[in-house]
Amino acid sequence: DAGITQSPRHKVTETGTPVTLRCHQTENHRYMYWYRQDPGHGLRLIHYSYGVKDTDKGEVSDGYSVSRSKTEDFLLTLESATSSQTSVYFCAISNKAGGTVGNEQFFGPGTRLTVL
Amino acid sequence: KQEVTQIPAALSVPEGENLVLNCSFTDSAIYNLQWFRQDPGKGLTSLLLIQSSQREQTSGRLNASLDKSSGRSTLYIAASQPGDSATYLCAVSYNTNAGKSTFGDGTTLTVKP
């Protein structure tokens, strides 16, 4: 299994509070992604990174920010959590760029976030 | 907008049966198609990656095929076992910026002993 950990694994917070989720990898992969998974919507890309300090938005980036100061860590921050951000968040990594042949993604175990 | 569809949404079979899961996509200009398995409350486990130049990939009892012209992929599971019970998702990546794979909603498989 790819060496990907996410922390925390579970979190309950209140509306309006900031929340930071962490993804840590030991594979030295260049590309990292944050997804959210919701019933009826499947997996949707929030943000991704193509290198240290290089990030870009996915399809559902509003209300989220990311940072990547080291190859192994990719942080997802909810600046002011809302109930609509209650979801399961997954981090993924790959060693090739999306849209290139051979881009295989590996997923972390997920973080279940509940915003009350 | 690229769309990925998986039908049926749920499937129940007796143990030992061979079965096929379907994945269809609207844009045939794909680069890769990846099949995943997801157990309840867990992350996604990569099963097979098919590159655009390939027609199929095999791993153990699993065989995935790709037909770009018709916009379809199938995942064949031979001699199904109760341990195969899970949700199976397919994801398609195109020639876009990094990370923009499109996922299907998955097929939830139950294999009855």
Side-chain angles (χ1 to χ4, degrees):
Chain A
D1 291 344
I4 312 169
T5 56
Q6 293 184 232
S7 59
R9 295 293 314 281
H10 302 271
K11 186 172 183 64
V12 179
T13 191
E14 294 190 350
T15 298
T17 60
V19 176
T20 296
L21 308 183
R22 180 183 184 233
C23 176
H24 178 78
Q25 59 141 332
T26 58
E27 305 296 321
N28 200 36
H29 282 4
R30 177 178 174 183
Y31 302 93
M32 299 185 74
Y33 318 91
W34 278 108
Y35 292 91
R36 59 179 290 175
Q37 186 176 39
D38 305 286
H41 293 279
L43 274 152
R44 293 178 292 175
L45 182 67
I46 305 171
H47 280 280
Y48 60 93
S49 170
Y50 45 96
V52 174
K53 298 185 179 179
D54 291 324
T55 65
D56 205 347
K57 297 178 180 180
E59 62 180 302
V60 290
S61 59
D62 287 348
Y64 302 95
S65 62
V66 290
S67 65
R68 191 167 178 201
S69 58
K70 299 184 291 184
T71 298
E72 57 267 35
D73 290 326
F74 193 31
L75 304 180
L76 176 70
T77 297
L78 289 65
E79 304 291 346
S80 177
T82 67
S83 59
S84 65
Q85 293 176 312
T86 292
S87 185
V88 180
Y89 291 85
F90 287 103
C91 173
I93 66 174
S94 65
N95 60 359
K96 293 187 178 182
T100 61
V101 173
N103 173 41
E104 185 171 10
Q105 294 193 28
F106 301 94
F107 280 73
T111 293
R112 184 172 296 276
L113 176 67
T114 302
V115 183
L116 301 176
Chain B
K1 177 182 178 183
Q2 296 121 358
E3 294 184 356
V4 178
T5 304
Q6 293 186 248
I7 295 174
L11 181 64
S12 180
V13 301
E15 181 177 5
E17 190 165 298
N18 301 326
L19 60 101
V20 173
L21 306 180
N22 298 296
C23 173
S24 60
F25 43 93
T26 54
D27 186 342
S28 62
I30 72 170
Y31 269 36
N32 305 285
L33 188 144
Q34 192 169 358
W35 281 95
F36 295 90
R37 168 187 173 136
Q38 185 175 28
D39 294 291
K42 304 292 186 181
L44 281 69
T45 299
S46 178
L47 297 175
L48 290 164
L49 174 74
I50 307 178
Q51 300 176 16
S52 59
S53 59
Q54 299 173 324
R55 295 296 299 272
E56 65 178 288
Q57 283 279 16
T58 298
S59 176
R61 293 183 294 108
L62 306 179
N63 176 276
S65 67
L66 175 64
D67 184 344
K68 289 196 304 178
S69 62
S70 66
R72 294 182 62 185
S73 175
T74 61
L75 179 66
Y76 174 83
I77 302 177
S80 59
Q81 304 170 358
D84 293 330
S85 298
T87 297
Y88 292 82
L89 298 100
C90 67
V92 181
S93 64
Y94 295 90
N95 183 19
T96 61
N97 293 332
K100 293 188 178 180
S101 294
T102 302
F103 285 78
D105 289 338
T107 295
T108 299
L109 173 66
T110 301
V111 181
K112 298 178 179 179

